[in-house]
Amino acid sequence: MDLRLSEEQEAARETARELAEKKLLARAAKLDADEAFPEEAVRELADLGLLGMMTPESHGGAALDTVGYALSLMEIARADAAVAVTLSVNNLVAETITQWGTDAQRDKYLPLLNTPEGLGAFALTEPGAGSDVKALRCRAARDGDSYVLDGEKTWITSATHAGVFLVMAVTGEKETSAFLVDKGTAGMTVGKPEPKMGQRGSHTCALHFSGCRVPAANLLGKPGEGLKIALSALDAGRIGIASLSVGLIRACLEEMTRYAKERSAFGKPIAEHQAVQWMIADTAVEHEAAEALTLTTAWRRDVGQPFTEKAAMAKLLASEAANRSAYRAVQVFGGYGYSREYRVERLYRDARVLTLYEGTSEIQRLVIARNVLA
Ligand SMILES: Cc1cc2nc3c(=O)[nH]c(=O)nc-3n(C[C@H](O)[C@H](O)[C@H](O)COP(=O)(O)OP(=O)(O)OC[C@H]3O[C@@H](n4cnc5c(N)ncnc54)[C@H](O)[C@@H]3O)c2cc1C
């Protein structure tokens, strides 16, 4: 396997790194404290062509491969995980439309998803259906040339700023279908952002549908393909969350290393105490392992190999490692790590959700075990 990056992959990583270091990092703490959506960052991502990173050039995108996307997301997440998750959900929606959409749907939605006004939201989870996606209750009933949606969705990332919502709804006895619902469609209400532990700049809201009429032309894929579409979107999405986790581990490692050299205890820098060195070493190893598994999984996808199991492994390994790394980062900082004045406190909170969304760690293990035992 050739592990060298292509010019396009290097360039995308460099562009993302520059934005992250010059702009995103400095703003991250305030956006977190204010629970403010990163509107400026989304505009900058759009200007740099990073919002439509994997969208085909024919639809105004940068047509980057999954490896290039993963590398860019790692850089963004290293500075601000809330911006990174906004970008990753937008990409998930754009890729799903690229893969499953009609020409008319691609022409309408893909250019929109490259813009700050047209961000994508992915609406699968409901109050009574998270891991158990077969328990969905939100219904879409066919009525002439339309479908009428009724029901609830919860925990929908970017809902306050989304231009298009990819909504999974029940259309028959055992049938779920996927719909593209435009922002402002009558009968769809977006709730208030949830008060969250971390990634607070990313807005996560409930959606309420009551007699929400959507043209039948907005059905994505065929009737009954909703769960297949959602699960394939999540397979790819997990590479995104793994990348986000790798970026966060990197941030923890950098913070720990810097602080361990600056802070002294018992007459020498704490970096000279072996226990501290071990925390740094363990984090460096986990960073390397998570990055390697994430990038090889991205590569598998790019060359057309099956990657469902590997994506679950990458997400499981990287998200759990991000939590261990954030724990160690706070530990190395001692009491200061518990203060909101220090970045590691935010990293610790931002890491927590990584083992929950886009499939919990338990669900990743189910996917992996199913494949191993098959
Ligand atoms: C910040 C945030 C953003 C999110 N963004 C989105 C979004 O944009 N779109 C969207 O659709 N959803 C989103 N989600 C929802 C997220 O994907 C779900 O929270 C997640 O899938 C888990 O579902 P649940 O919360 O209902 O937990 P449950 O499914 O109720 O699980 C509770 C616990 O039981 C365990 N469990 C459940 N079933 C099994 C099993 N079979 N075997 C072993 N253990 C099991 C779980 O692992 C977990 O530990 C988001 C969530 C958060 C917190």
Side-chain angles (χ1 to χ4, degrees):
M1 188 199 299
D2 188 352
L3 296 173
R4 283 170 302 186
L5 300 179
S6 69
E7 270 178 35
E8 290 79 18
Q9 291 162 347
E10 288 275 17
R13 175 163 72 175
E14 204 41 51
T15 305
R17 180 177 293 167
E18 211 175 307
L19 174 70
E21 287 179 351
K22 291 201 174 140
K23 306 242 168 103
L24 306 186
L25 188 55
R27 294 184 205 128
K30 178 151 172 48
L31 290 173
D32 169 67
D34 296 349
E35 298 186 60
F37 190 83
E39 288 176 6
E40 219 175 340
V42 170
R43 267 200 308 279
E44 288 158 353
L45 289 167
D47 290 346
L48 291 168
L50 293 174
L51 269 192
M53 222 186 294
M54 295 187 70
T55 298
E57 282 171 358
S58 55
H59 290 83
L64 203 61
D65 59 10
T66 318
V67 170
Y69 165 69
L71 289 165
S72 309
L73 205 55
M74 287 172 190
E75 296 298 331
I76 306 284
R78 192 173 139 228
D80 190 338
V83 175
V85 74
T86 306
L87 178 60
S88 78
V89 173
N90 188 65
N91 189 69
L92 179 152
V93 173
E95 277 210 279
T96 309
I97 295 174
T98 303
Q99 189 183 345
W100 298 88
T102 60
D103 286 347
Q105 289 169 341
R106 285 195 208 107
D107 290 348
K108 175 174 177 190
Y109 290 106
L110 292 181
L112 191 67
L113 286 157
N114 299 337
T115 69
E117 298 73 34
L119 280 182
F122 176 79
L124 176 65
T125 305
E126 297 182 4
S131 308
D132 184 4
V133 290
K134 293 202 172 134
L136 294 186
R137 289 271 182 82
C138 181
R139 296 196 69 82
R142 182 84 196 224
D143 183 28
D145 284 346
S146 326
Y147 282 87
V148 179
L149 272 66
D150 286 285
E152 307 284 336
K153 294 286 172 183
T154 189
W155 293 113
I156 308 308
T157 299
S158 301
T160 47
H161 287 67
V164 55
F165 297 78
L166 170 54
V167 181
M168 268 51 68
V170 177
T171 44
E173 186 68 14
K174 286 192 174 166
E175 187 184 283
T176 300
S177 303
F179 298 90
L180 296 166
V181 184
D182 295 350
K183 162 188 170 180
T185 303
M188 177 175 73
T189 321
V190 178
K192 286 208 174 81
E194 297 292 340
K196 293 187 304 196
M197 178 193 293
Q199 303 195 1
R200 286 152 50 103
S202 156
H203 284 180
T204 318
C205 314
L207 301 178
H208 177 73
F209 296 94
S210 176
C212 175
R213 191 170 285 275
V214 176
N218 282 25
L219 177 77
L220 187 70
K222 297 195 183 74
E225 285 189 326
L227 278 188
K228 193 162 127 191
I229 291 173
L231 295 179
S232 82
L234 288 173
D235 277 348
R238 283 168 189 161
I239 300 177
I241 303 305
S243 307
L244 210 158
S245 305
V246 171
L248 206 134
I249 301 172
R250 180 90 214 159
C252 291
L253 184 60
E254 287 167 358
E255 287 292 318
M256 290 158 89
T257 309
R258 185 184 51 75
Y259 189 77
K261 288 181 189 164
E262 286 170 14
R263 175 77 175 172
S264 288
F266 297 92
K268 57 185 180 184
I270 59 169
E272 291 177 27
H273 292 292
Q274 198 180 49
V276 172
Q277 290 175 1
W278 287 13
M279 287 193 268
I280 292 172
D282 287 346
T283 305
V285 171
E286 293 205 296
H287 175 262
E288 198 71 18
E291 184 182 51
L293 183 54
T294 302
L295 290 177
T296 51
T297 304
W299 171 83
R300 274 175 197 279
R301 179 168 190 250
D302 287 336
V303 297
Q305 290 184 8
F307 68 96
T308 298
E309 181 193 8
K310 302 290 189 229
M313 286 181 176
K315 203 256 178 192
L316 176 65
L317 175 74
S319 63
E320 293 284 348
N323 276 279
R324 288 190 292 270
S325 301
Y327 178 92
R328 289 187 208 109
V330 170
Q331 199 65 18
V332 167
F333 272 66
Y336 294 99
Y338 200 63
S339 163
R340 293 215 162 179
E341 293 293 314
Y342 290 84
R343 183 177 168 209
V344 291
E345 184 270 344
R346 174 168 52 81
L347 294 173
Y348 186 80
R349 287 184 289 104
D350 283 352
R352 191 61 194 88
V353 74
L354 298 169
T355 66
L356 302 172
Y357 59 24
E358 299 207 16
T360 62
S361 290
E362 292 70 37
I363 295 304
Q364 308 309 326
R365 289 187 176 96
L366 277 182
V367 173
I368 296 162
R370 203 179 291 142
N371 277 276
V372 173
L373 293 167

